[in-house]
């Protein structure tokens, strides 16, 4: 059994503690020891750098590559599968070794990643998002056409459902398609053409049926929830995480604290829509107006949640914006009150806890899987992070090395 020693640098263990000088010994894909004067068969010099746990993005869309409506209509149906391969490569190149795909990725993509056919992160998948007719996952346009955010095919069945019985059947359909998590939209959203992010979607009896069916399969529920009433409906129904939480009010925050509900803020998402518009990318006329409206209040809501102590996991909604830009979310979390080390913890041990993978990943600790990232610079400096990832290791194997000609940006 050959071993790899990461020697000479600092180690951030993922808990939020200050990095300390240490070496990390890896054998057979597992972290075996952390300390000084360790010995390994192969030595990776990390002098002047930091070794940290493989990063986790708890809200991505690997099969989505932007929100340009014209481009989506112009591309052949199969084109997005090939884009997904590149998206996975860009993700692991930014130090992210595990993701929770929040709709669009199917079981085939997950298995291709797991079997090493393509390079990319370990993936938990939602398959598709469940929403009501006219809700966040209903692509019906006023002209009579429908442009689905997550195109339907045999691996990604429709998520539009109404009434407890249909909701129950749709949950079972997603589980049959390979879902590791059930995603539901309990409010409207920014990208959907005919709804309002503040409006609550699905009634309590529908949400009760959805959560009960997910619970029966021992699968968690993540809720796209932006308006306060929809957030509270989701929390009362028993979802594990609120995604976005743009219009969180004090009652919603108190409910989340009482029930241990996680918040995945995705602060980058509305900014990505605004930036896409500035680049001239075309989407529905209402989308930019909604993005501008929510961006102004999103930071305040997340700041109040952070101050109250709501558990935070990093998620970015990447796919709305460019893959590889995920780590911009860390500075946005700091802007909302987390310290830099707390933000890194939200992207490591915190996200692992949300995904119930904290017994396997998320920390640099003996016995855990050796998902590791080597990073240039100080962790308190959150600028240019994508260009500062030197190497990414997954289960003890190097899956990304920064090209020699590139320098940290």
């Amino acid at each position: 059994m050959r071993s790899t020693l990461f020697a000479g640098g600092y180690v951030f263990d993922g808990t939020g503690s200050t990095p300390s000088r240490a070496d990390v010994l890896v054998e057979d894909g597992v972290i075996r020891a952390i300390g000084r004067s360790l010995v390994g068969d192969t030595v990776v010099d990390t002098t002047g750098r930091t070794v940290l746990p493989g990063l986790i993005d708890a809200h991505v869309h690997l099969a989505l590559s932007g929100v340009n409506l014209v481009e989506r209509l112009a591309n052949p149906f199969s084109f997005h599968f090939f884009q997904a391969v590149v998206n996975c490569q860009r993700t692991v190149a930014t130090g992210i070794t595990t993701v929770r795909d929040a709709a669009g990725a199917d079981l085939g993509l997950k298995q291709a990643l797991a079997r090493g056919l393509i390079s990319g992160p370990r993936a938990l998948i939602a398959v598709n998002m469940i929403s009501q007719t006219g809700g966040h996952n209903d692509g019906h346009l006023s002209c009579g056409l429908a442009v689905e955010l997550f195109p339907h095919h045999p691996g990604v069945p429709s998520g539009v459902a109404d009434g407890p019985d249909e909701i129950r059947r749709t949950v079972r359909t997603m589980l049959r398609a390979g879902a590791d998590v059930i995603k539901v939209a309990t409010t409207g959203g920014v990208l959907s053409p005919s709804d309002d992010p503040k409006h609550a979607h699905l009634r309590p009896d529908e949400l009760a049926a959805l959560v009960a069916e997910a619970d029966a399969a021992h699968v968690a529920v993540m809720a796209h929830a932006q308006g306060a009433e929809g957030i509270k409906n989701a929390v009362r129904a028993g979802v594990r995480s609120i995604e976005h939480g743009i219009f969180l009010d004090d009652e919603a925050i108190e409910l989340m604290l009482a029930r241990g509900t996680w918040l995945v803020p995705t602060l980058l998402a509305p900014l990505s829509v605004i930036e896409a518009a500035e680049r001239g990318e075309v989407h529905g006329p209402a989308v930019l107006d909604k993005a501008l409206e929510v961006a102004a209040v999103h930071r305040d809501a997340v700041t109040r949640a952070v101050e109250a102590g709501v558990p935070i996991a990093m998620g970015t909604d990447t796919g709305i914006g460019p893959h590889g830009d995920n780590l911009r979310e860390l500075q946005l979390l700091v802007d909302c009150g987390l310290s830099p080390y707390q933000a890194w913890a939200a992207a490591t041990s915190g996200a692992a806890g949300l995904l119930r993978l904290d017994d396997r990943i998320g920390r640099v600790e003996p016995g855990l899987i050796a998902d590791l990232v080597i990073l240039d610079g100080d962790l308190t400096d959150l600028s240019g992070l994508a260009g500062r990832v030197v190497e990414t290791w997954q289960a003890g194997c190097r899956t990304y090395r920064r090209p020699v000609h590139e320098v940290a940006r």
Side-chain angles (χ1 to χ4, degrees), residues 167-194:
I167 291 284
R168 191 183 303 277
R169 184 179 301 110
T170 304
V171 172
R172 292 175 179 174
T173 300
M174 296 304 163
L175 293 169
R176 183 179 65 185
D180 302 296
V181 59
I182 295 299
K183 184 181 181 187
V184 60
T186 65
T187 70
V190 170
L191 290 178
S192 36
S194 58

PDB file of all heavy atoms in Angstrom, residues 167-194:
ATOM      1  N   ILE A 167     -48.398  14.992  -6.641  1.00  0.00           N
ATOM      2  CA  ILE A 167     -47.112  15.306  -6.013  1.00  0.00           C
ATOM      3  C   ILE A 167     -46.439  14.016  -5.545  1.00  0.00           C
ATOM      4  O   ILE A 167     -45.246  13.790  -5.772  1.00  0.00           O
ATOM      5  CB  ILE A 167     -47.317  16.259  -4.812  1.00  0.00           C
ATOM      6  CG1 ILE A 167     -47.752  17.652  -5.285  1.00  0.00           C
ATOM      7  CG2 ILE A 167     -46.057  16.333  -3.957  1.00  0.00           C
ATOM      8  CD1 ILE A 167     -46.658  18.503  -5.860  1.00  0.00           C
ATOM      9  N   ARG A 168     -47.203  13.161  -4.869  1.00  0.00           N
ATOM     10  CA  ARG A 168     -46.654  11.902  -4.371  1.00  0.00           C
ATOM     11  C   ARG A 168     -46.091  11.057  -5.523  1.00  0.00           C
ATOM     12  O   ARG A 168     -44.998  10.505  -5.438  1.00  0.00           O
ATOM     13  CB  ARG A 168     -47.756  11.127  -3.628  1.00  0.00           C
ATOM     14  CG  ARG A 168     -47.252   9.918  -2.846  1.00  0.00           C
ATOM     15  CD  ARG A 168     -48.426   9.187  -2.202  1.00  0.00           C
ATOM     16  NE  ARG A 168     -49.206  10.070  -1.343  1.00  0.00           N
ATOM     17  CZ  ARG A 168     -48.896  10.358  -0.092  1.00  0.00           C
ATOM     18  NH1 ARG A 168     -47.805   9.833   0.452  1.00  0.00           N
ATOM     19  NH2 ARG A 168     -49.669  11.153   0.635  1.00  0.00           N
ATOM     20  N   ARG A 169     -46.843  10.974  -6.610  1.00  0.00           N
ATOM     21  CA  ARG A 169     -46.399  10.199  -7.765  1.00  0.00           C
ATOM     22  C   ARG A 169     -45.132  10.798  -8.368  1.00  0.00           C
ATOM     23  O   ARG A 169     -44.227  10.062  -8.794  1.00  0.00           O
ATOM     24  CB  ARG A 169     -47.521  10.161  -8.811  1.00  0.00           C
ATOM     25  CG  ARG A 169     -47.193   9.288 -10.035  1.00  0.00           C
ATOM     26  CD  ARG A 169     -48.342   9.266 -11.031  1.00  0.00           C
ATOM     27  NE  ARG A 169     -49.572   8.745 -10.423  1.00  0.00           N
ATOM     28  CZ  ARG A 169     -50.644   9.491 -10.148  1.00  0.00           C
ATOM     29  NH1 ARG A 169     -50.640  10.790 -10.435  1.00  0.00           N
ATOM     30  NH2 ARG A 169     -51.713   8.945  -9.608  1.00  0.00           N
ATOM     31  N   THR A 170     -45.049  12.119  -8.405  1.00  0.00           N
ATOM     32  CA  THR A 170     -43.878  12.768  -8.993  1.00  0.00           C
ATOM     33  C   THR A 170     -42.640  12.554  -8.134  1.00  0.00           C
ATOM     34  O   THR A 170     -41.534  12.365  -8.662  1.00  0.00           O
ATOM     35  CB  THR A 170     -44.150  14.270  -9.209  1.00  0.00           C
ATOM     36  OG1 THR A 170     -45.326  14.416 -10.022  1.00  0.00           O
ATOM     37  CG2 THR A 170     -42.987  14.952  -9.906  1.00  0.00           C
ATOM     38  N   VAL A 171     -42.791  12.589  -6.821  1.00  0.00           N
ATOM     39  CA  VAL A 171     -41.655  12.260  -5.951  1.00  0.00           C
ATOM     40  C   VAL A 171     -41.157  10.859  -6.266  1.00  0.00           C
ATOM     41  O   VAL A 171     -39.948  10.615  -6.418  1.00  0.00           O
ATOM     42  CB  VAL A 171     -42.045  12.374  -4.461  1.00  0.00           C
ATOM     43  CG1 VAL A 171     -40.922  11.831  -3.569  1.00  0.00           C
ATOM     44  CG2 VAL A 171     -42.343  13.819  -4.091  1.00  0.00           C
ATOM     45  N   ARG A 172     -42.066   9.911  -6.380  1.00  0.00           N
ATOM     46  CA  ARG A 172     -41.673   8.538  -6.683  1.00  0.00           C
ATOM     47  C   ARG A 172     -41.002   8.444  -8.051  1.00  0.00           C
ATOM     48  O   ARG A 172     -40.055   7.665  -8.247  1.00  0.00           O
ATOM     49  CB  ARG A 172     -42.899   7.625  -6.617  1.00  0.00           C
ATOM     50  CG  ARG A 172     -43.448   7.475  -5.209  1.00  0.00           C
ATOM     51  CD  ARG A 172     -44.733   6.666  -5.190  1.00  0.00           C
ATOM     52  NE  ARG A 172     -45.223   6.522  -3.825  1.00  0.00           N
ATOM     53  CZ  ARG A 172     -46.393   5.954  -3.499  1.00  0.00           C
ATOM     54  NH1 ARG A 172     -47.200   5.509  -4.468  1.00  0.00           N
ATOM     55  NH2 ARG A 172     -46.749   5.845  -2.239  1.00  0.00           N
ATOM     56  N   THR A 173     -41.457   9.267  -8.994  1.00  0.00           N
ATOM     57  CA  THR A 173     -40.842   9.280 -10.315  1.00  0.00           C
ATOM     58  C   THR A 173     -39.401   9.774 -10.236  1.00  0.00           C
ATOM     59  O   THR A 173     -38.502   9.218 -10.889  1.00  0.00           O
ATOM     60  CB  THR A 173     -41.652  10.170 -11.273  1.00  0.00           C
ATOM     61  OG1 THR A 173     -42.986   9.654 -11.372  1.00  0.00           O
ATOM     62  CG2 THR A 173     -41.035  10.202 -12.660  1.00  0.00           C
ATOM     63  N   MET A 174     -39.163  10.820  -9.435  1.00  0.00           N
ATOM     64  CA  MET A 174     -37.799  11.326  -9.281  1.00  0.00           C
ATOM     65  C   MET A 174     -36.918  10.288  -8.592  1.00  0.00           C
ATOM     66  O   MET A 174     -35.753  10.087  -8.971  1.00  0.00           O
ATOM     67  CB  MET A 174     -37.796  12.632  -8.471  1.00  0.00           C
ATOM     68  CG  MET A 174     -38.525  13.785  -9.138  1.00  0.00           C
ATOM     69  SD  MET A 174     -37.895  14.158 -10.795  1.00  0.00           S
ATOM     70  CE  MET A 174     -39.272  15.149 -11.408  1.00  0.00           C
ATOM     71  N   LEU A 175     -37.450   9.601  -7.595  1.00  0.00           N
ATOM     72  CA  LEU A 175     -36.676   8.571  -6.911  1.00  0.00           C
ATOM     73  C   LEU A 175     -36.347   7.432  -7.875  1.00  0.00           C
ATOM     74  O   LEU A 175     -35.227   6.921  -7.885  1.00  0.00           O
ATOM     75  CB  LEU A 175     -37.454   8.051  -5.708  1.00  0.00           C
ATOM     76  CG  LEU A 175     -37.666   9.053  -4.564  1.00  0.00           C
ATOM     77  CD1 LEU A 175     -38.662   8.516  -3.560  1.00  0.00           C
ATOM     78  CD2 LEU A 175     -36.340   9.388  -3.884  1.00  0.00           C
ATOM     79  N   ARG A 176     -37.306   7.057  -8.693  1.00  0.00           N
ATOM     80  CA  ARG A 176     -37.061   6.014  -9.690  1.00  0.00           C
ATOM     81  C   ARG A 176     -35.963   6.430 -10.669  1.00  0.00           C
ATOM     82  O   ARG A 176     -35.167   5.599 -11.142  1.00  0.00           O
ATOM     83  CB  ARG A 176     -38.351   5.710 -10.455  1.00  0.00           C
ATOM     84  CG  ARG A 176     -38.214   4.586 -11.482  1.00  0.00           C
ATOM     85  CD  ARG A 176     -39.527   4.324 -12.177  1.00  0.00           C
ATOM     86  NE  ARG A 176     -39.974   5.468 -12.982  1.00  0.00           N
ATOM     87  CZ  ARG A 176     -41.144   5.515 -13.613  1.00  0.00           C
ATOM     88  NH1 ARG A 176     -42.012   4.510 -13.515  1.00  0.00           N
ATOM     89  NH2 ARG A 176     -41.459   6.588 -14.322  1.00  0.00           N
ATOM     90  N   ALA A 177     -35.901   7.720 -10.968  1.00  0.00           N
ATOM     91  CA  ALA A 177     -34.896   8.232 -11.899  1.00  0.00           C
ATOM     92  C   ALA A 177     -33.519   8.391 -11.255  1.00  0.00           C
ATOM     93  O   ALA A 177     -32.561   8.761 -11.939  1.00  0.00           O
ATOM     94  CB  ALA A 177     -35.350   9.574 -12.471  1.00  0.00           C
ATOM     95  N   GLY A 178     -33.429   8.125  -9.940  1.00  0.00           N
ATOM     96  CA  GLY A 178     -32.130   8.144  -9.277  1.00  0.00           C
ATOM     97  C   GLY A 178     -31.889   9.298  -8.334  1.00  0.00           C
ATOM     98  O   GLY A 178     -30.743   9.531  -7.917  1.00  0.00           O
ATOM     99  N   ALA A 179     -32.928  10.020  -7.941  1.00  0.00           N
ATOM    100  CA  ALA A 179     -32.746  11.194  -7.081  1.00  0.00           C
ATOM    101  C   ALA A 179     -32.185  10.808  -5.713  1.00  0.00           C
ATOM    102  O   ALA A 179     -32.672   9.881  -5.071  1.00  0.00           O
ATOM    103  CB  ALA A 179     -34.063  11.933  -6.912  1.00  0.00           C
ATOM    104  N   ASP A 180     -31.157  11.554  -5.285  1.00  0.00           N
ATOM    105  CA  ASP A 180     -30.601  11.430  -3.938  1.00  0.00           C
ATOM    106  C   ASP A 180     -31.251  12.417  -2.985  1.00  0.00           C
ATOM    107  O   ASP A 180     -31.111  12.313  -1.769  1.00  0.00           O
ATOM    108  CB  ASP A 180     -29.098  11.725  -3.957  1.00  0.00           C
ATOM    109  CG  ASP A 180     -28.340  10.816  -4.894  1.00  0.00           C
ATOM    110  OD1 ASP A 180     -28.320   9.598  -4.652  1.00  0.00           O
ATOM    111  OD2 ASP A 180     -27.768  11.330  -5.886  1.00  0.00           O
ATOM    112  N   VAL A 181     -31.909  13.417  -3.544  1.00  0.00           N
ATOM    113  CA  VAL A 181     -32.578  14.464  -2.786  1.00  0.00           C
ATOM    114  C   VAL A 181     -33.781  14.901  -3.608  1.00  0.00           C
ATOM    115  O   VAL A 181     -33.758  14.825  -4.835  1.00  0.00           O
ATOM    116  CB  VAL A 181     -31.613  15.661  -2.520  1.00  0.00           C
ATOM    117  CG1 VAL A 181     -31.114  16.246  -3.829  1.00  0.00           C
ATOM    118  CG2 VAL A 181     -32.266  16.733  -1.669  1.00  0.00           C
ATOM    119  N   ILE A 182     -34.839  15.312  -2.932  1.00  0.00           N
ATOM    120  CA  ILE A 182     -36.010  15.831  -3.624  1.00  0.00           C
ATOM    121  C   ILE A 182     -35.972  17.352  -3.548  1.00  0.00           C
ATOM    122  O   ILE A 182     -35.809  17.919  -2.465  1.00  0.00           O
ATOM    123  CB  ILE A 182     -37.312  15.289  -3.000  1.00  0.00           C
ATOM    124  CG1 ILE A 182     -37.400  13.778  -3.185  1.00  0.00           C
ATOM    125  CG2 ILE A 182     -38.527  15.985  -3.613  1.00  0.00           C
ATOM    126  CD1 ILE A 182     -37.421  13.307  -4.633  1.00  0.00           C
ATOM    127  N   LYS A 183     -36.133  17.993  -4.693  1.00  0.00           N
ATOM    128  CA  LYS A 183     -36.181  19.459  -4.714  1.00  0.00           C
ATOM    129  C   LYS A 183     -37.589  19.911  -5.064  1.00  0.00           C
ATOM    130  O   LYS A 183     -38.200  19.400  -6.005  1.00  0.00           O
ATOM    131  CB  LYS A 183     -35.198  20.028  -5.725  1.00  0.00           C
ATOM    132  CG  LYS A 183     -35.180  21.567  -5.685  1.00  0.00           C
ATOM    133  CD  LYS A 183     -34.234  22.158  -6.685  1.00  0.00           C
ATOM    134  CE  LYS A 183     -34.236  23.683  -6.598  1.00  0.00           C
ATOM    135  NZ  LYS A 183     -33.434  24.300  -7.670  1.00  0.00           N
ATOM    136  N   VAL A 184     -38.076  20.886  -4.305  1.00  0.00           N
ATOM    137  CA  VAL A 184     -39.414  21.421  -4.525  1.00  0.00           C
ATOM    138  C   VAL A 184     -39.343  22.940  -4.534  1.00  0.00           C
ATOM    139  O   VAL A 184     -38.543  23.539  -3.811  1.00  0.00           O
ATOM    140  CB  VAL A 184     -40.399  20.928  -3.429  1.00  0.00           C
ATOM    141  CG1 VAL A 184     -39.942  21.378  -2.045  1.00  0.00           C
ATOM    142  CG2 VAL A 184     -41.816  21.391  -3.714  1.00  0.00           C
ATOM    143  N   ALA A 185     -40.166  23.560  -5.351  1.00  0.00           N
ATOM    144  CA  ALA A 185     -40.274  25.025  -5.381  1.00  0.00           C
ATOM    145  C   ALA A 185     -41.515  25.431  -4.598  1.00  0.00           C
ATOM    146  O   ALA A 185     -42.637  25.149  -5.023  1.00  0.00           O
ATOM    147  CB  ALA A 185     -40.365  25.529  -6.810  1.00  0.00           C
ATOM    148  N   THR A 186     -41.307  26.077  -3.471  1.00  0.00           N
ATOM    149  CA  THR A 186     -42.444  26.526  -2.662  1.00  0.00           C
ATOM    150  C   THR A 186     -42.743  28.007  -2.862  1.00  0.00           C
ATOM    151  O   THR A 186     -43.599  28.565  -2.170  1.00  0.00           O
ATOM    152  CB  THR A 186     -42.209  26.240  -1.165  1.00  0.00           C
ATOM    153  OG1 THR A 186     -41.102  27.008  -0.691  1.00  0.00           O
ATOM    154  CG2 THR A 186     -41.937  24.765  -0.939  1.00  0.00           C
ATOM    155  N   THR A 187     -42.036  28.629  -3.809  1.00  0.00           N
ATOM    156  CA  THR A 187     -42.349  30.002  -4.229  1.00  0.00           C
ATOM    157  C   THR A 187     -42.043  30.109  -5.721  1.00  0.00           C
ATOM    158  O   THR A 187     -41.450  29.211  -6.318  1.00  0.00           O
ATOM    159  CB  THR A 187     -41.501  31.067  -3.495  1.00  0.00           C
ATOM    160  OG1 THR A 187     -40.142  30.976  -3.946  1.00  0.00           O
ATOM    161  CG2 THR A 187     -41.559  30.900  -1.991  1.00  0.00           C
ATOM    162  N   GLY A 188     -42.411  31.246  -6.289  1.00  0.00           N
ATOM    163  CA  GLY A 188     -41.950  31.568  -7.626  1.00  0.00           C
ATOM    164  C   GLY A 188     -40.463  31.853  -7.602  1.00  0.00           C
ATOM    165  O   GLY A 188     -39.793  31.722  -6.566  1.00  0.00           O
ATOM    166  N   GLY A 189     -39.936  32.252  -8.759  1.00  0.00           N
ATOM    167  CA  GLY A 189     -38.507  32.487  -8.841  1.00  0.00           C
ATOM    168  C   GLY A 189     -38.152  33.581  -9.826  1.00  0.00           C
ATOM    169  O   GLY A 189     -39.017  34.151 -10.493  1.00  0.00           O
ATOM    170  N   VAL A 190     -36.870  33.846  -9.927  1.00  0.00           N
ATOM    171  CA  VAL A 190     -36.380  34.911 -10.795  1.00  0.00           C
ATOM    172  C   VAL A 190     -36.416  34.495 -12.259  1.00  0.00           C
ATOM    173  O   VAL A 190     -36.843  35.256 -13.134  1.00  0.00           O
ATOM    174  CB  VAL A 190     -34.953  35.320 -10.378  1.00  0.00           C
ATOM    175  CG1 VAL A 190     -34.326  36.257 -11.410  1.00  0.00           C
ATOM    176  CG2 VAL A 190     -34.972  35.983  -9.004  1.00  0.00           C
ATOM    177  N   LEU A 191     -35.994  33.272 -12.556  1.00  0.00           N
ATOM    178  CA  LEU A 191     -35.838  32.871 -13.946  1.00  0.00           C
ATOM    179  C   LEU A 191     -37.121  32.401 -14.608  1.00  0.00           C
ATOM    180  O   LEU A 191     -37.194  32.329 -15.834  1.00  0.00           O
ATOM    181  CB  LEU A 191     -34.793  31.753 -14.047  1.00  0.00           C
ATOM    182  CG  LEU A 191     -33.346  32.168 -13.770  1.00  0.00           C
ATOM    183  CD1 LEU A 191     -32.436  30.961 -13.858  1.00  0.00           C
ATOM    184  CD2 LEU A 191     -32.892  33.237 -14.746  1.00  0.00           C
ATOM    185  N   SER A 192     -38.117  32.037 -13.825  1.00  0.00           N
ATOM    186  CA  SER A 192     -39.359  31.540 -14.411  1.00  0.00           C
ATOM    187  C   SER A 192     -40.179  32.692 -14.958  1.00  0.00           C
ATOM    188  O   SER A 192     -40.208  33.785 -14.388  1.00  0.00           O
ATOM    189  CB  SER A 192     -40.152  30.739 -13.375  1.00  0.00           C
ATOM    190  OG  SER A 192     -40.029  31.303 -12.082  1.00  0.00           O
ATOM    191  N   PRO A 193     -40.885  32.481 -16.085  1.00  0.00           N
ATOM    192  CA  PRO A 193     -41.454  33.601 -16.831  1.00  0.00           C
ATOM    193  C   PRO A 193     -42.723  34.213 -16.257  1.00  0.00           C
ATOM    194  O   PRO A 193     -43.013  35.377 -16.523  1.00  0.00           O
ATOM    195  CB  PRO A 193     -41.740  32.987 -18.210  1.00  0.00           C
ATOM    196  CG  PRO A 193     -41.935  31.538 -17.947  1.00  0.00           C
ATOM    197  CD  PRO A 193     -41.003  31.206 -16.819  1.00  0.00           C
ATOM    198  N   SER A 194     -43.497  33.457 -15.484  1.00  0.00           N
ATOM    199  CA  SER A 194     -44.846  33.952 -15.177  1.00  0.00           C
ATOM    200  C   SER A 194     -45.205  33.909 -13.698  1.00  0.00           C
ATOM    201  O   SER A 194     -46.380  33.823 -13.343  1.00  0.00           O
ATOM    202  CB  SER A 194     -45.882  33.123 -15.968  1.00  0.00           C
ATOM    203  OG  SER A 194     -45.772  31.745 -15.637  1.00  0.00           O
TER     204      SER A 194
END
